[in-house]
Amino acid sequence: MARLVIVSNRVSPLRESGPMAGGLTVALQEAVKRREMLWFGWSGETSERREPRISTVGNRTQALIDLTSQEHRLYYTGFCNNLLWPLLHYRFGLAQFRRAEEEGWRAVNRRFAEQLLPLLREDDTIWIHDFHLFPLAAYLRELGARQRIGFYLHVPFPPPAVFAALPRAAALLRDLGAIDLIGTQTADDAEHLSDALRQEGVNTPVGVFPVGINAEAFARAAATAALRKDTQRFAESLGGRKLIFGVDRMDYSKGLPQRVLGYADLLKRYPQHRGKVTFLQAAPISRGEVTQYRLLRREMDELVGRINGEYAEVDWVPLRWTTRPIPRRTLGGYLRVADIALVTPLRDGMNLVAKEFVAAQPPEDPGVLILSHFAGAAREMEGAVKVNPNDPDEIAEALDIAINMPLAERRERWRLDYDRLAAAGPSGWSRSFLAELNRAEFSTTG
Ligand code: GDG
């Protein structure tokens, strides 16, 4: 089988086996197990060093480049995080456009192309990941690359009229013409992107390939994690109360303020639940160098303090809040112990936490998933209790329904979602994308 070349902004550490952290890596793990692979991307470090660091474990090679601090500021903090991320999540009001950042972003994409090119073999299949690298394929083609190139967008794509707010949006869309197949999470994203491309006369095929997880492996790992000492200690600390659980990168797309306000509304409107539930929200700090993220952290610290101040008893803290990451081996255990998962992003490409919660639950006594209509996962998870994440009252009502839901209904809803997750198979997502890419016409290279 031809070698697979994966290109993404960040590359996770090389390991021959064992679980890897992070949605993209977890999702790709199965795809690359039996296949020779080169993974190219940013090391996560800044330095003046130009040459990639190349290392190999088994049949996997990774090539990592450092960014200069100026490249990092313009490309990553600036154009990717301050502009593209909010724009693609329908939040143009939060976006800040600077011409210099757009140029810096293009320069880094050109550099990726230049440094990847000498590492390529003629029969490689190239798979580029996410919005950071929108123009990479176009630069590779400019340099003469004739390999098959696929691109996967992990985040939403907004309606063309929203995307058009981006200066030089047309040039960006035309760059996507260098790609042989684009994958998106949902049919809406595919439709928006196809419409935008069509308006620019670009004919790149766009297909829907929802990211999945290895449900059976996750279920096994969660069952093991639940027996670990730290999970047991945590479960005991709940004192028999129901656990509501949320875990998200601290990001304004995840709807965290509305979520904790929804919980506060539950305690206010349904006082019978006071002292009977505990809500643990973990929100590991993400993109801490970006102003909007710092503001969100301050807002959350204040909100959590206020809600606890208002409802706490001397022997009950209603809302447990941590901004530290939970170790991967423990997280599955917490997801299994949880009675309710609160997954309420304002907008999310897919949201893997929703799927991980369902996979982690014990089949004999499963918990309830409360899920935003605006997560890509909402298209698949028919058993979830769906909410509009903008409305704290609706979140409170969903929590009350979930707390009171009878076992038979919980089982029925969970079964629906678990079976669907498991049916996709351990590597359904990457396998179906790569199979389709393999079938795709070489539209760009003839
Ligand atoms: C992007 C898109 C799309 C979270 N906190 C901790 C932790 N996590 C893990 C989760 C999950 C992953 O990180 C997060 O994935 P999500 O899908 O929920 O969200 P994004 O990071 O925004 O991912 C998203 C995804 O790409 C894949 O295509 O679904 O829409 O935005 O695996 O469990 N893991 C550990 N500790 C934490 O505190 N160990």
Side-chain angles (χ1 to χ4, degrees):
M1 201 189 283
R3 184 175 70 160
L4 177 64
V5 177
I6 292 174
V7 195
S8 57
N9 172 55
R10 291 295 294 274
V11 178
S12 358
L14 251 191
R15 273 189 240 145
E16 201 150 16
S17 62
M20 295 182 279
L24 189 143
T25 328
V26 172
L28 281 169
Q29 189 179 18
E30 299 291 328
V32 302
K33 249 188 200 158
R34 287 167 299 274
R35 193 164 174 177
E36 188 184 4
M37 181 191 66
L38 166 68
W39 195 331
F40 184 96
W42 173 41
S43 63
E45 312 277 323
T46 54
S47 82
E48 295 300 314
R49 188 194 155 102
R50 304 297 292 171
E51 288 313 301
R53 259 186 287 268
I54 299 178
S55 52
T56 302
V57 173
N59 60 358
R60 295 180 51 194
T61 298
Q62 67 180 25
L64 303 180
I65 56 169
D66 292 354
L67 296 177
T68 67
S69 50
Q70 161 147 316
E71 283 173 336
H72 178 259
R73 185 166 50 79
L74 298 174
Y75 153 83
Y76 184 66
T77 310
F79 202 72
C80 288
N81 288 340
N82 263 328
L83 181 75
L84 286 178
W85 180 269
L87 171 70
L88 293 167
H89 288 85
Y90 299 57
R91 301 288 290 278
F92 200 69
L94 296 178
Q96 286 176 353
F97 180 82
R98 303 256 186 287
R99 176 84 63 95
E101 292 174 351
E102 181 195 3
E103 284 163 4
W105 175 70
R106 287 195 166 273
V108 168
N109 271 272
R110 208 174 301 118
R111 188 179 154 204
F112 265 54
E114 284 162 7
Q115 299 203 291
L116 174 59
L117 194 78
L119 305 177
L120 292 180
R121 299 177 194 154
E122 230 169 81
D123 64 342
D124 281 342
T125 295
I126 303 172
W127 193 7
I128 299 170
H129 289 266
D130 233 0
F131 62 94
H132 311 81
L133 303 176
F134 271 141
L136 176 61
Y139 290 129
L140 283 167
R141 295 276 184 242
E142 252 176 53
L143 296 172
R146 298 175 57 85
Q147 289 82 351
R148 216 169 269 258
I149 303 182
F151 179 93
Y152 190 79
L153 184 65
H154 289 258
V155 300
F157 196 90
V162 175
F163 191 71
L166 173 72
R168 277 170 298 289
L172 193 157
L173 291 165
R174 283 196 299 272
D175 282 343
L176 301 183
I179 298 164
D180 297 299
L181 174 69
I182 299 177
T184 65
Q185 302 269 25
T186 69
D188 282 346
D189 301 324
E191 193 182 312
H192 296 156
L193 181 52
S194 308
D195 286 352
L197 290 171
R198 207 173 309 118
Q199 287 170 17
E200 289 309 317
V202 179
N203 295 315
T204 307
V206 181
V208 183
F209 303 89
V211 166
I213 63 168
N214 184 340
E216 282 165 20
F218 201 92
R220 275 195 305 273
T224 308
L227 302 174
R228 288 172 54 89
K229 255 206 213 97
D230 39 5
T231 312
Q232 302 254 306
R233 197 160 48 89
F234 169 61
E236 277 161 28
S237 79
L238 298 169
R241 297 182 178 95
K242 285 209 170 187
L243 173 64
I244 302 165
F245 184 39
V247 54
D248 312 73
R249 282 185 309 98
M250 189 163 342
D251 193 299
Y252 52 76
S253 67
K254 303 293 183 184
L256 294 168
Q258 293 85 344
R259 188 183 306 175
V260 297
L261 285 169
Y263 179 64
D265 278 353
L266 172 83
L267 301 178
K268 185 173 172 192
R269 290 175 47 197
Y270 306 89
Q272 65 273 26
H273 299 313
R274 290 185 199 169
K276 306 261 171 47
V277 293
T278 292
F279 176 18
L280 169 64
Q281 175 64 53
I285 309 266
S286 174
R287 306 176 191 168
E289 69 281 8
V290 179
T291 311
Q292 284 303 333
Y293 290 73
R294 283 206 301 270
L295 292 174
L296 173 65
R297 184 181 182 185
R298 197 185 303 165
E299 182 185 1
M300 287 304 295
D301 284 345
E302 196 196 311
L303 269 177
V304 170
R306 184 144 39 95
I307 292 165
N308 276 334
E310 206 166 325
Y311 294 101
E313 303 288 343
V314 288
D315 57 353
W316 173 58
V317 179
L319 208 177
R320 299 187 190 180
W321 166 243
T322 173
T323 59
R324 289 193 306 267
I326 298 171
R328 188 95 197 142
R329 61 176 185 283
T330 312
L331 182 61
Y334 290 8
L335 285 166
R336 187 174 177 94
V337 168
D339 298 288
I340 295 167
L342 208 40
V343 183
T344 58
L346 304 181
R347 200 55 78 170
D348 215 330
M350 174 54 59
N351 195 293
L352 292 181
V353 174
K355 295 188 170 182
E356 290 167 352
F357 170 73
V358 168
Q361 283 296 301
E364 65 285 359
D365 185 14
V368 182
L369 171 63
I370 298 179
L371 181 59
S372 161
H373 287 293
F374 307 126
R379 301 282 156 277
E380 296 170 75
M381 315 296 270
E382 286 171 59
V385 175
K386 307 275 172 54
V387 293
N388 183 326
N390 298 297
D391 183 359
D393 274 295
E394 199 173 319
I395 293 174
E397 287 151 15
L399 279 168
D400 178 61
I401 289 171
I403 293 168
N404 294 322
M405 193 180 285
L407 177 62
E409 183 178 350
R410 281 190 275 124
R411 276 192 181 152
E412 201 177 307
R413 286 171 176 265
W414 176 83
R415 179 49 67 189
L416 202 61
D417 288 344
Y418 183 83
D419 285 352
R420 181 151 179 180
L421 272 186
S427 55
W429 167 67
S430 53
R431 227 173 339 106
S432 55
F433 181 87
L434 290 169
E436 185 71 30
L437 176 60
N438 208 28
R439 278 193 294 271
E441 293 276 324
F442 267 95
S443 52
T444 42
T445 51

